[in-house]
Amino acid sequence: RIEGTQGDGAIDAALNATVDAGLKPGLLTMQGEKRSHAGDRSRYIRTRDYVLTEWARDRSRFLTCEACLENYAGEEESAYVSEVYSYLHQNGCINVGILKNDPLVPIPAGVFGATQGGSGEDAVIPDESIQGALYALMGKINMDETSEKAIREMLALHFGSPMDSKPRKKLIKRLISEYIECGGPPPSWKDARLKGKASQYAKIVVVGAGPAGLMAGLHLKRHGCDVTVLEARDRVGGRIHSYTGDVDGSEKMGAACDLGASIITGRAVDGRKGLRADPSALLCEQLGLRLHDLNTKSLPIYDGRKEGGSSTGQRQGPRAVDEELDSMAQTVMNELMDRAAAYCEKLPVEEQEMVSFGTLVDRAKDNWEAETAEKVRRKMARGERVSVRISLRVGDDGGVKVDLSLDVTMEDGSFDSYSSDDDVPSEMLPKTLDAELERLLHWNWANLEYGCSAPIKSLSAPHWNEDEDFGGFGGPHSFVIGGYDQPFRQIAKHLNVRMGMRVSEIEVDNDRSKNGVTVVTEANEELACDAVLVTVPLGVLKRQAISFTPDLPQWKKESIDRLGFGKLDKVFLEFEDAFWDDSVDFFGAAKGTNEGDRGLCFMFWNIHRFSGKPILAALISGQAAHINEVTPEEQLKDVALDTLRSVFRDMVVPSPVAYHVTRWGADVDTGGSYSFVAVGASMNDYEMLARPVGKRIFFAGEHTCQEHPDTVGGAMLTGLREASRILEMDARADAPDHDANLASRMRSASANGAYREEAMDGDRETLKRKPDDVDMLGAVLPRDLADRVARDSRGEEARIMNREVAKGMWKALMAAESGDTSFILDSVRFADENNQQAGIIGPLLEAGAATLVQVFKDSECLLILAGWVDEMFDNPSRAHDMLLLLKAFDIPDWNAIGRSKARDRLQLVVAKVGQQHEDGAVKIAAKRVIQKIQNLDIFSDDDFIVSPVQKRAASRVAPKIDDETQRKLDEAEAELRAMQAEAERLRSQVDTHVTAAAVDDESPAFGTFEEYRDSLRAKRKKPRTKAARVISASGSAVPIGDAQTAAASQDGRSARETFRRRVDGCIAEALKPHYDARKISKETYKTILKKSSTKIMAKTTDKDINDWSRFVRSRRGMIKKLVDGYVAISKR
């Protein structure tokens, strides 16, 4: 029992602490958790929540293991708490950032108010140090003549710190008991020390002192590693640069100007929505830095055209664009994006991957205008004279309404008129967009291009906004007052950072167990280390500024080439006084009329609002950022100034007293601003860039973060991820090549084609990826297998079964490669347990495409695997297994597999996963599988023309067949169409409910345009700016009263769902004897369980739900009779 953690407040605290650590509440999230604690899941999660909550109480100080033990009731649990603490500490879930009382990374007193504790506090001494000193002491003294108190006094004298605190007494008492029981130091402690000496990376070089490199260096140093950070520049921070000027003769700015990254993209955890805070907010909190929250709901857009105004000297203010027209532009933009997405979905997979989002947007716009022009032409050809009148107004619901009237005059003089309240034909749409509407539309595209750091014609049509599935960070977006680089400069003070060290080569010698890596700088200085972490920007990797020996594997180089790295620049202008509206954080200037100039100074940030200095920052995005990389700085300054003078046309806008222009694309140490999913790339490339090469070269940075790319927080998390990976890795053996072919590996390991069990050792080790179980601070995890079995034998049995199943699966894959799938079918058919299924999924993922084609051609095998996906969907704890299985489905060529009912069943199940699963990575994987499978489908819609690629695919899978087979195929296709229609109907119902529940007053409803007003999709789109992500993540259009009602309704549904699960447990208990006696099959078992549950729940009342004990006493006999009846019926 955990003391002091009862009540809803404690539940919320544990929820927020878990989410903010990057974990999923109630679930095993990290692979180490799943490997080590699958057998004691409830106990582990309970203990994990406790440790995380203790850390969240005060995240400014280093949380020690003994502090956790002090508040934990139960002496027998202390070893387990130490184990969980050690794991969370090593993986960066606790003790992150700049901490007081840190034993290995001390902070000098006076740093932003941080102190190392008063004189009355105990010094922080790692448990490992106390353990080692105690065992050494006990080996020298006579234990029969020495009391526990005397031992504590000897230790206090040794460390110069008292040992009388409650947690230290507990620790010492436990260690003494273990020593006496084992007759010396416990074997697990000896093994841990030997392992640490043999395989732990003692010396690490980090290349790059940006957020990723600094966070990794800090975490590694906190665990006792010797870390050296190499930085090419003369400053730290990377693409975070808080510039004040007065360097190399440049003009001095009045306040720190963040030339690169400048916004904390979410500073508060939202446990209910599963959104963690940007970790850079934690650093600011620890250092006492002040933040300025952005008002993302106020972004006025002004007319930025040169014509139409003159300087009168009168301060009447800028002319804002019409709000209704602005709303109309946003709605038109959303419609074009919807149409582009629809076009993309209808393309074959190969064509989808190679088409840009911008190309499809242009197609949507051209088709819209062409459709309208053709309909008007036809009407006029019939002798009709058409005139259109358009007016705008705000409707009662706050949305934009378009009043349109259409007058039609026939040749005979008859006259007809339509209004917006009638069923107005679509030809009333104007032939082309109005010039002013077009200008606002260009501004919105420029804003989206700012969010992506690239022109929309460079973005991948199917994948450009898939990172939104992960939800981003929680809370408001913020500026750091005084500059974003402050916390990172502080971290650098506690690390060995060497400036001016531009790395040119990294060499790996796998024959050396220690110092197997040599890092060479441009000055030919060589540094030997055990491992290297490369955190340079993607732009540096793209231009191959660092050579690797041996060369990087092909899969790594291909992902580097595919993923995009964009450009975003700023022009800072400082004036004597602020002449703009200081109540807003930013304002727009709509002036661009084409792709080349729409992003040129299209938005201005108000630096004066939080710095007190009259500074504006103009943004340059999209194609304009590429063009202006070579434009003289003076000219860009004049462009920004001219834009302001066009906006504030009734004012005298003075010349700036200082200015500065950024050029991130021309910077040799960056090569751009941040990553994006380019044409031909996918979110999978982020994952590939994150993979280490062997066991000595690791990679971090925002371009390796699937969940939070293009953010500082994402870069920091990758630094923690790789530092934790380094602490776990075994340095004695290099990892196998990820892109090696399974069949060739197995053949080379087999003598004369005969399978040998030893050949699979390397592959099984690859799948296991055994972690290092020793924490650097000294909390020792049990290494001996017997200790783990004694604690929970079920967990070890599951692992043994997993290995045995995997062993048989490797053999079956070899047979399948030659066309014999019977062994695989047997393996899949009898894999009822989760661990058995996991043992099959791993080898499937390593199999080659040709092998999987043979496997998935077997309809029974494919149906069983589809059933696994369906079962995993209902079990959140199996999200990782589902992700691996979906990746296996993404490997083969489905054209070669052909159509079947099993494939159609798989498609429906995977489509449900892609739409409804809560895990972002699983959703993305499911969508990729659907895209690959649907390449087979031949659509008959009038608006879709079958491409040559599809025709060739159809000819391959539709040979000449007899009439009977054709009839069966027609019936199957008719059945599939009916199922798809039903799925579409259900999906439409869901979309309707979701849309109705998520109405946002700030999202204007387009009240007329008949062609699309009823078909606006509820599909999520990438917000137009990074600041807008806050609105989509935390904004709510539900009134407080309605929210409370909704919460109560949710609680009711939750209680009913809990009750249903209990009922299912009773039914399963009644079914178990029949199933064990093999009276019913597994499918019959599931059917009876479902039918019985539905029938019982239909008669369940609220009184039953509120009193489970009474219900189960009165209904248990009825449940048994119901089950027995269904079993009897099934035998007939």
Side-chain angles (χ1 to χ4, degrees), residues 703-731:
H703 55 281
T704 71
C705 185
Q706 254 193 350
E707 297 85 354
H708 307 283
D710 63 53
T711 65
V712 173
M716 295 172 64
L717 292 176
T718 65
L720 286 174
R721 178 197 69 208
E722 294 308 307
S724 301
R725 197 199 303 263
I726 290 171
L727 294 173
E728 291 179 352
M729 283 288 218
D730 183 358

PDB file of all heavy atoms in Angstrom, residues 703-731:
ATOM      1  N   HIS A 703      14.959  15.448 -36.335  1.00  0.00           N
ATOM      2  CA  HIS A 703      14.707  14.647 -37.527  1.00  0.00           C
ATOM      3  C   HIS A 703      14.666  13.152 -37.227  1.00  0.00           C
ATOM      4  O   HIS A 703      14.462  12.350 -38.142  1.00  0.00           O
ATOM      5  CB  HIS A 703      15.793  14.918 -38.577  1.00  0.00           C
ATOM      6  CG  HIS A 703      17.188  14.691 -38.071  1.00  0.00           C
ATOM      7  ND1 HIS A 703      17.836  15.618 -37.295  1.00  0.00           N
ATOM      8  CD2 HIS A 703      18.055  13.658 -38.215  1.00  0.00           C
ATOM      9  CE1 HIS A 703      19.040  15.149 -36.991  1.00  0.00           C
ATOM     10  NE2 HIS A 703      19.188  13.965 -37.524  1.00  0.00           N
ATOM     11  N   THR A 704      14.843  12.750 -35.974  1.00  0.00           N
ATOM     12  CA  THR A 704      14.730  11.341 -35.574  1.00  0.00           C
ATOM     13  C   THR A 704      13.532  11.126 -34.664  1.00  0.00           C
ATOM     14  O   THR A 704      13.423  10.071 -34.040  1.00  0.00           O
ATOM     15  CB  THR A 704      16.008  10.856 -34.861  1.00  0.00           C
ATOM     16  OG1 THR A 704      16.085  11.471 -33.559  1.00  0.00           O
ATOM     17  CG2 THR A 704      17.253  11.206 -35.653  1.00  0.00           C
ATOM     18  N   CYS A 705      12.639  12.112 -34.573  1.00  0.00           N
ATOM     19  CA  CYS A 705      11.508  12.044 -33.636  1.00  0.00           C
ATOM     20  C   CYS A 705      10.202  11.996 -34.409  1.00  0.00           C
ATOM     21  O   CYS A 705       9.766  13.004 -34.967  1.00  0.00           O
ATOM     22  CB  CYS A 705      11.523  13.254 -32.696  1.00  0.00           C
ATOM     23  SG  CYS A 705      10.249  13.198 -31.418  1.00  0.00           S
ATOM     24  N   GLN A 706       9.569  10.826 -34.468  1.00  0.00           N
ATOM     25  CA  GLN A 706       8.294  10.676 -35.164  1.00  0.00           C
ATOM     26  C   GLN A 706       7.194  11.470 -34.491  1.00  0.00           C
ATOM     27  O   GLN A 706       6.364  12.084 -35.159  1.00  0.00           O
ATOM     28  CB  GLN A 706       7.890   9.198 -35.169  1.00  0.00           C
ATOM     29  CG  GLN A 706       8.054   8.490 -36.495  1.00  0.00           C
ATOM     30  CD  GLN A 706       7.346   7.147 -36.501  1.00  0.00           C
ATOM     31  OE1 GLN A 706       6.882   6.641 -35.495  1.00  0.00           O
ATOM     32  NE2 GLN A 706       7.263   6.554 -37.671  1.00  0.00           N
ATOM     33  N   GLU A 707       7.170  11.465 -33.167  1.00  0.00           N
ATOM     34  CA  GLU A 707       6.051  12.039 -32.434  1.00  0.00           C
ATOM     35  C   GLU A 707       6.069  13.564 -32.443  1.00  0.00           C
ATOM     36  O   GLU A 707       5.020  14.199 -32.527  1.00  0.00           O
ATOM     37  CB  GLU A 707       6.062  11.549 -30.975  1.00  0.00           C
ATOM     38  CG  GLU A 707       5.885  10.052 -30.823  1.00  0.00           C
ATOM     39  CD  GLU A 707       7.202   9.303 -30.953  1.00  0.00           C
ATOM     40  OE1 GLU A 707       8.220   9.952 -31.275  1.00  0.00           O
ATOM     41  OE2 GLU A 707       7.226   8.088 -30.737  1.00  0.00           O
ATOM     42  N   HIS A 708       7.258  14.173 -32.332  1.00  0.00           N
ATOM     43  CA  HIS A 708       7.346  15.633 -32.227  1.00  0.00           C
ATOM     44  C   HIS A 708       8.445  16.181 -33.131  1.00  0.00           C
ATOM     45  O   HIS A 708       9.393  16.814 -32.656  1.00  0.00           O
ATOM     46  CB  HIS A 708       7.622  16.048 -30.775  1.00  0.00           C
ATOM     47  CG  HIS A 708       6.669  15.468 -29.777  1.00  0.00           C
ATOM     48  ND1 HIS A 708       5.391  15.957 -29.595  1.00  0.00           N
ATOM     49  CD2 HIS A 708       6.789  14.420 -28.910  1.00  0.00           C
ATOM     50  CE1 HIS A 708       4.776  15.240 -28.663  1.00  0.00           C
ATOM     51  NE2 HIS A 708       5.598  14.311 -28.231  1.00  0.00           N
ATOM     52  N   PRO A 709       8.361  15.943 -34.445  1.00  0.00           N
ATOM     53  CA  PRO A 709       9.400  16.501 -35.324  1.00  0.00           C
ATOM     54  C   PRO A 709       9.311  18.018 -35.357  1.00  0.00           C
ATOM     55  O   PRO A 709       8.300  18.599 -34.964  1.00  0.00           O
ATOM     56  CB  PRO A 709       9.047  15.887 -36.690  1.00  0.00           C
ATOM     57  CG  PRO A 709       7.577  15.633 -36.617  1.00  0.00           C
ATOM     58  CD  PRO A 709       7.303  15.250 -35.199  1.00  0.00           C
ATOM     59  N   ASP A 710      10.362  18.649 -35.814  1.00  0.00           N
ATOM     60  CA  ASP A 710      10.479  20.103 -35.974  1.00  0.00           C
ATOM     61  C   ASP A 710      10.211  20.881 -34.690  1.00  0.00           C
ATOM     62  O   ASP A 710       9.748  22.012 -34.731  1.00  0.00           O
ATOM     63  CB  ASP A 710       9.611  20.626 -37.131  1.00  0.00           C
ATOM     64  CG  ASP A 710       8.108  20.425 -36.944  1.00  0.00           C
ATOM     65  OD1 ASP A 710       7.548  20.819 -35.928  1.00  0.00           O
ATOM     66  OD2 ASP A 710       7.485  19.864 -37.865  1.00  0.00           O
ATOM     67  N   THR A 711      10.482  20.291 -33.518  1.00  0.00           N
ATOM     68  CA  THR A 711      10.328  21.002 -32.241  1.00  0.00           C
ATOM     69  C   THR A 711      11.572  20.810 -31.373  1.00  0.00           C
ATOM     70  O   THR A 711      12.265  19.795 -31.482  1.00  0.00           O
ATOM     71  CB  THR A 711       9.108  20.486 -31.448  1.00  0.00           C
ATOM     72  OG1 THR A 711       9.308  19.113 -31.071  1.00  0.00           O
ATOM     73  CG2 THR A 711       7.833  20.592 -32.267  1.00  0.00           C
ATOM     74  N   VAL A 712      11.827  21.794 -30.517  1.00  0.00           N
ATOM     75  CA  VAL A 712      12.929  21.676 -29.558  1.00  0.00           C
ATOM     76  C   VAL A 712      12.650  20.543 -28.581  1.00  0.00           C
ATOM     77  O   VAL A 712      13.538  19.757 -28.232  1.00  0.00           O
ATOM     78  CB  VAL A 712      13.130  23.014 -28.810  1.00  0.00           C
ATOM     79  CG1 VAL A 712      14.151  22.855 -27.689  1.00  0.00           C
ATOM     80  CG2 VAL A 712      13.568  24.100 -29.780  1.00  0.00           C
ATOM     81  N   GLY A 713      11.394  20.454 -28.124  1.00  0.00           N
ATOM     82  CA  GLY A 713      11.038  19.386 -27.195  1.00  0.00           C
ATOM     83  C   GLY A 713      11.284  18.014 -27.787  1.00  0.00           C
ATOM     84  O   GLY A 713      11.773  17.107 -27.102  1.00  0.00           O
ATOM     85  N   GLY A 714      10.956  17.848 -29.067  1.00  0.00           N
ATOM     86  CA  GLY A 714      11.214  16.566 -29.719  1.00  0.00           C
ATOM     87  C   GLY A 714      12.692  16.240 -29.764  1.00  0.00           C
ATOM     88  O   GLY A 714      13.102  15.100 -29.526  1.00  0.00           O
ATOM     89  N   ALA A 715      13.527  17.246 -30.063  1.00  0.00           N
ATOM     90  CA  ALA A 715      14.975  17.028 -30.089  1.00  0.00           C
ATOM     91  C   ALA A 715      15.481  16.616 -28.710  1.00  0.00           C
ATOM     92  O   ALA A 715      16.306  15.700 -28.583  1.00  0.00           O
ATOM     93  CB  ALA A 715      15.679  18.299 -30.558  1.00  0.00           C
ATOM     94  N   MET A 716      15.002  17.272 -27.655  1.00  0.00           N
ATOM     95  CA  MET A 716      15.429  16.927 -26.300  1.00  0.00           C
ATOM     96  C   MET A 716      15.065  15.485 -25.954  1.00  0.00           C
ATOM     97  O   MET A 716      15.866  14.761 -25.347  1.00  0.00           O
ATOM     98  CB  MET A 716      14.797  17.891 -25.302  1.00  0.00           C
ATOM     99  CG  MET A 716      15.261  19.335 -25.444  1.00  0.00           C
ATOM    100  SD  MET A 716      14.321  20.466 -24.391  1.00  0.00           S
ATOM    101  CE  MET A 716      14.762  19.870 -22.759  1.00  0.00           C
ATOM    102  N   LEU A 717      13.866  15.075 -26.337  1.00  0.00           N
ATOM    103  CA  LEU A 717      13.433  13.713 -26.029  1.00  0.00           C
ATOM    104  C   LEU A 717      14.291  12.675 -26.744  1.00  0.00           C
ATOM    105  O   LEU A 717      14.554  11.606 -26.195  1.00  0.00           O
ATOM    106  CB  LEU A 717      11.964  13.542 -26.413  1.00  0.00           C
ATOM    107  CG  LEU A 717      10.952  14.329 -25.580  1.00  0.00           C
ATOM    108  CD1 LEU A 717       9.543  14.156 -26.127  1.00  0.00           C
ATOM    109  CD2 LEU A 717      11.003  13.911 -24.116  1.00  0.00           C
ATOM    110  N   THR A 718      14.726  12.990 -27.962  1.00  0.00           N
ATOM    111  CA  THR A 718      15.600  12.035 -28.661  1.00  0.00           C
ATOM    112  C   THR A 718      16.959  11.936 -27.982  1.00  0.00           C
ATOM    113  O   THR A 718      17.575  10.868 -27.984  1.00  0.00           O
ATOM    114  CB  THR A 718      15.792  12.428 -30.131  1.00  0.00           C
ATOM    115  OG1 THR A 718      16.497  13.679 -30.226  1.00  0.00           O
ATOM    116  CG2 THR A 718      14.454  12.553 -30.850  1.00  0.00           C
ATOM    117  N   GLY A 719      17.443  13.037 -27.406  1.00  0.00           N
ATOM    118  CA  GLY A 719      18.691  12.973 -26.657  1.00  0.00           C
ATOM    119  C   GLY A 719      18.577  12.052 -25.461  1.00  0.00           C
ATOM    120  O   GLY A 719      19.469  11.224 -25.196  1.00  0.00           O
ATOM    121  N   LEU A 720      17.458  12.169 -24.727  1.00  0.00           N
ATOM    122  CA  LEU A 720      17.226  11.266 -23.595  1.00  0.00           C
ATOM    123  C   LEU A 720      17.071   9.821 -24.076  1.00  0.00           C
ATOM    124  O   LEU A 720      17.574   8.892 -23.438  1.00  0.00           O
ATOM    125  CB  LEU A 720      15.965  11.701 -22.844  1.00  0.00           C
ATOM    126  CG  LEU A 720      16.067  12.955 -21.979  1.00  0.00           C
ATOM    127  CD1 LEU A 720      14.704  13.330 -21.431  1.00  0.00           C
ATOM    128  CD2 LEU A 720      17.046  12.740 -20.837  1.00  0.00           C
ATOM    129  N   ARG A 721      16.370   9.654 -25.191  1.00  0.00           N
ATOM    130  CA  ARG A 721      16.153   8.303 -25.725  1.00  0.00           C
ATOM    131  C   ARG A 721      17.468   7.621 -26.043  1.00  0.00           C
ATOM    132  O   ARG A 721      17.696   6.455 -25.669  1.00  0.00           O
ATOM    133  CB  ARG A 721      15.296   8.419 -26.995  1.00  0.00           C
ATOM    134  CG  ARG A 721      15.026   7.098 -27.705  1.00  0.00           C
ATOM    135  CD  ARG A 721      14.544   7.356 -29.135  1.00  0.00           C
ATOM    136  NE  ARG A 721      15.595   7.894 -29.993  1.00  0.00           N
ATOM    137  CZ  ARG A 721      15.383   8.682 -31.043  1.00  0.00           C
ATOM    138  NH1 ARG A 721      14.155   9.035 -31.369  1.00  0.00           N
ATOM    139  NH2 ARG A 721      16.407   9.107 -31.773  1.00  0.00           N
ATOM    140  N   GLU A 722      18.370   8.320 -26.731  1.00  0.00           N
ATOM    141  CA  GLU A 722      19.627   7.697 -27.134  1.00  0.00           C
ATOM    142  C   GLU A 722      20.577   7.522 -25.952  1.00  0.00           C
ATOM    143  O   GLU A 722      21.335   6.550 -25.906  1.00  0.00           O
ATOM    144  CB  GLU A 722      20.292   8.514 -28.246  1.00  0.00           C
ATOM    145  CG  GLU A 722      19.498   8.527 -29.533  1.00  0.00           C
ATOM    146  CD  GLU A 722      19.128   7.136 -30.004  1.00  0.00           C
ATOM    147  OE1 GLU A 722      20.035   6.285 -30.134  1.00  0.00           O
ATOM    148  OE2 GLU A 722      17.927   6.885 -30.236  1.00  0.00           O
ATOM    149  N   ALA A 723      20.557   8.453 -25.005  1.00  0.00           N
ATOM    150  CA  ALA A 723      21.386   8.277 -23.819  1.00  0.00           C
ATOM    151  C   ALA A 723      20.955   7.023 -23.059  1.00  0.00           C
ATOM    152  O   ALA A 723      21.792   6.237 -22.600  1.00  0.00           O
ATOM    153  CB  ALA A 723      21.288   9.509 -22.924  1.00  0.00           C
ATOM    154  N   SER A 724      19.642   6.808 -22.943  1.00  0.00           N
ATOM    155  CA  SER A 724      19.140   5.605 -22.281  1.00  0.00           C
ATOM    156  C   SER A 724      19.499   4.353 -23.070  1.00  0.00           C
ATOM    157  O   SER A 724      19.839   3.329 -22.499  1.00  0.00           O
ATOM    158  CB  SER A 724      17.611   5.699 -22.133  1.00  0.00           C
ATOM    159  OG  SER A 724      17.240   6.837 -21.385  1.00  0.00           O
ATOM    160  N   ARG A 725      19.455   4.466 -24.393  1.00  0.00           N
ATOM    161  CA  ARG A 725      19.809   3.321 -25.230  1.00  0.00           C
ATOM    162  C   ARG A 725      21.282   2.953 -25.043  1.00  0.00           C
ATOM    163  O   ARG A 725      21.643   1.782 -24.973  1.00  0.00           O
ATOM    164  CB  ARG A 725      19.527   3.631 -26.698  1.00  0.00           C
ATOM    165  CG  ARG A 725      19.471   2.369 -27.576  1.00  0.00           C
ATOM    166  CD  ARG A 725      19.653   2.691 -29.050  1.00  0.00           C
ATOM    167  NE  ARG A 725      18.723   3.620 -29.596  1.00  0.00           N
ATOM    168  CZ  ARG A 725      17.606   3.321 -30.281  1.00  0.00           C
ATOM    169  NH1 ARG A 725      17.291   2.057 -30.465  1.00  0.00           N
ATOM    170  NH2 ARG A 725      16.842   4.266 -30.783  1.00  0.00           N
ATOM    171  N   ILE A 726      22.139   3.969 -24.968  1.00  0.00           N
ATOM    172  CA  ILE A 726      23.570   3.723 -24.762  1.00  0.00           C
ATOM    173  C   ILE A 726      23.807   3.025 -23.433  1.00  0.00           C
ATOM    174  O   ILE A 726      24.625   2.099 -23.316  1.00  0.00           O
ATOM    175  CB  ILE A 726      24.356   5.042 -24.831  1.00  0.00           C
ATOM    176  CG1 ILE A 726      24.367   5.569 -26.275  1.00  0.00           C
ATOM    177  CG2 ILE A 726      25.782   4.872 -24.332  1.00  0.00           C
ATOM    178  CD1 ILE A 726      24.935   6.960 -26.426  1.00  0.00           C
ATOM    179  N   LEU A 727      23.073   3.444 -22.395  1.00  0.00           N
ATOM    180  CA  LEU A 727      23.232   2.828 -21.083  1.00  0.00           C
ATOM    181  C   LEU A 727      22.784   1.369 -21.094  1.00  0.00           C
ATOM    182  O   LEU A 727      23.218   0.573 -20.260  1.00  0.00           O
ATOM    183  CB  LEU A 727      22.439   3.614 -20.036  1.00  0.00           C
ATOM    184  CG  LEU A 727      22.928   5.041 -19.765  1.00  0.00           C
ATOM    185  CD1 LEU A 727      21.965   5.771 -18.848  1.00  0.00           C
ATOM    186  CD2 LEU A 727      24.324   5.022 -19.167  1.00  0.00           C
ATOM    187  N   GLU A 728      21.915   0.994 -22.014  1.00  0.00           N
ATOM    188  CA  GLU A 728      21.405  -0.370 -22.071  1.00  0.00           C
ATOM    189  C   GLU A 728      22.217  -1.287 -22.975  1.00  0.00           C
ATOM    190  O   GLU A 728      22.246  -2.495 -22.802  1.00  0.00           O
ATOM    191  CB  GLU A 728      19.954  -0.374 -22.577  1.00  0.00           C
ATOM    192  CG  GLU A 728      18.958   0.217 -21.599  1.00  0.00           C
ATOM    193  CD  GLU A 728      17.549   0.207 -22.179  1.00  0.00           C
ATOM    194  OE1 GLU A 728      17.407  -0.119 -23.376  1.00  0.00           O
ATOM    195  OE2 GLU A 728      16.614   0.524 -21.446  1.00  0.00           O
ATOM    196  N   MET A 729      22.873  -0.707 -23.978  1.00  0.00           N
ATOM    197  CA  MET A 729      23.494  -1.519 -25.025  1.00  0.00           C
ATOM    198  C   MET A 729      24.678  -2.328 -24.505  1.00  0.00           C
ATOM    199  O   MET A 729      25.404  -1.923 -23.609  1.00  0.00           O
ATOM    200  CB  MET A 729      23.970  -0.626 -26.165  1.00  0.00           C
ATOM    201  CG  MET A 729      22.848  -0.162 -27.081  1.00  0.00           C
ATOM    202  SD  MET A 729      22.245  -1.502 -28.099  1.00  0.00           S
ATOM    203  CE  MET A 729      21.946  -0.619 -29.626  1.00  0.00           C
ATOM    204  N   ASP A 730      24.878  -3.471 -25.138  1.00  0.00           N
ATOM    205  CA  ASP A 730      26.024  -4.311 -24.844  1.00  0.00           C
ATOM    206  C   ASP A 730      27.116  -4.002 -25.865  1.00  0.00           C
ATOM    207  O   ASP A 730      26.938  -4.212 -27.059  1.00  0.00           O
ATOM    208  CB  ASP A 730      25.616  -5.786 -24.938  1.00  0.00           C
ATOM    209  CG  ASP A 730      26.756  -6.716 -24.566  1.00  0.00           C
ATOM    210  OD1 ASP A 730      27.856  -6.232 -24.269  1.00  0.00           O
ATOM    211  OD2 ASP A 730      26.533  -7.932 -24.582  1.00  0.00           O
ATOM    212  N   ALA A 731      28.247  -3.486 -25.411  1.00  0.00           N
ATOM    213  CA  ALA A 731      29.291  -3.009 -26.328  1.00  0.00           C
ATOM    214  C   ALA A 731      30.156  -4.125 -26.897  1.00  0.00           C
ATOM    215  O   ALA A 731      30.997  -3.882 -27.743  1.00  0.00           O
ATOM    216  CB  ALA A 731      30.188  -2.006 -25.607  1.00  0.00           C
TER     217      ALA A 731
END
